[in-house]
Amino acid sequence: MQTRVNKTRLTLIQGDITEQETEAIVNAANTTLLGGGGVDGAIHRAGGLTILEECKKIRAKQGECPTGEAVITTGGNLKAKYVIHTVGPVWSGGKRKEDTLLHNAYKNSLSLAKDKGIGSLSFPSISTGAYGFPIERAAEIALSTVRNFLKGYTFEEVRFVLFSEKDLNVYEEVWEKTVNRV
Ligand code: ADP
């Protein structure tokens, strides 16, 4: 699915985020920034060791990356020039500020892209794998955070890259359901 939010192209596709040619891709990292499973492992495998080396430097400078925050490295061997590493919350029932923290992860990633003058970026479905965040609720937060950000800023493109057809369907349904919400 492709649509526009003001002047920004918004794309929802099924695919592998490591293969995207947007200027940046977003990694669903963990607080250690030292790699992990899922999309994090895939990005480090495809991007090569320079990404890990840069993550280690960031850690040495500022310590771990708190949940909801974001940091940036180059893209190593990836087509993307940059990787924005953000840490989504672990789902633990919904009463530990998970919604706010997930919102922060998207918002801080978008802010970092804006500050760097990045024109296009791809997001995975943050927190909905190993971290167990319910996908429909996560999709609502992801899409509304992006939509609100795009009221005040224009990228060439913001892309959501969903790993499974099922996840893509959820994101598309949530988009249709909420698109006219203010
Ligand atoms: P988290 O720990 O934030 O839940 P995961 O990596 O476990 O992160 O999962 C987040 C989402 O990323 C899941 O929907 C998972 O299916 C998806 N995913 C895993 N590998 C890739 C990939 N190469 N490209 C895009 N999405 C991926």
Side-chain angles (χ1 to χ4, degrees):
M1 186 198 96
Q2 200 163 77
T3 185
R4 286 210 172 252
V5 181
N6 295 329
K7 289 185 175 159
T8 302
R9 188 161 70 239
L10 180 78
T11 311
L12 309 184
I13 55 162
Q14 184 187 350
D16 181 339
I17 201 164
T18 65
E19 293 170 3
Q20 306 304 310
E21 81 299 350
T22 46
E23 192 174 358
I25 64 171
V26 177
N27 181 16
N30 58 56
T31 56
T32 71
L33 295 174
L34 298 181
V39 71
D40 195 4
I43 288 172
H44 280 283
R45 270 194 305 280
L49 272 178
T50 48
I51 298 178
L52 184 62
E53 291 308 319
E54 289 178 50
C55 284
K56 283 183 182 164
K57 278 188 196 145
I58 292 168
R59 264 192 64 133
K61 215 163 124 190
Q62 67 168 56
E64 295 199 333
C65 183
T67 305
E69 302 297 314
V71 302
I72 190 164
T73 65
T74 64
N77 302 328
L78 296 168
K79 288 182 200 155
K81 197 167 163 199
Y82 299 102
V83 178
I84 294 169
H85 305 261
T86 191
V87 184
V90 177
W91 179 258
S92 55
K95 294 192 174 149
R96 295 206 171 164
K97 300 198 166 72
E98 292 97 320
D99 289 347
T100 305
L101 290 167
L102 187 62
H103 165 79
N104 291 349
Y106 281 100
K107 187 159 179 234
N108 286 321
S109 299
L110 292 159
S111 295
L112 200 46
K114 174 185 169 185
D115 292 347
K116 275 270 176 187
I118 287 167
S120 58
L121 69 167
S122 296
F123 282 104
S125 182
I126 298 166
S127 283
T128 64
Y131 281 5
F133 205 116
I135 184 144
E136 192 171 337
R137 186 162 171 159
E140 286 201 29
I141 292 166
L143 293 168
S144 67
T145 304
V146 167
R147 193 164 50 228
N148 281 328
F149 197 90
L150 298 180
K151 285 181 186 162
Y153 190 75
T154 300
F155 292 103
E156 273 160 48
E157 181 180 356
V158 176
R159 189 180 295 178
F160 282 91
V161 182
L162 291 317
F163 210 37
S164 70
E165 193 183 349
K166 199 162 153 244
D167 288 356
L168 175 62
N169 288 340
V170 173
Y171 271 68
E172 288 186 342
E173 277 162 25
V174 167
W175 178 261
E176 295 303 335
K177 205 174 75 185
T178 56
V179 66
N180 292 318
R181 264 188 217 165
V182 278

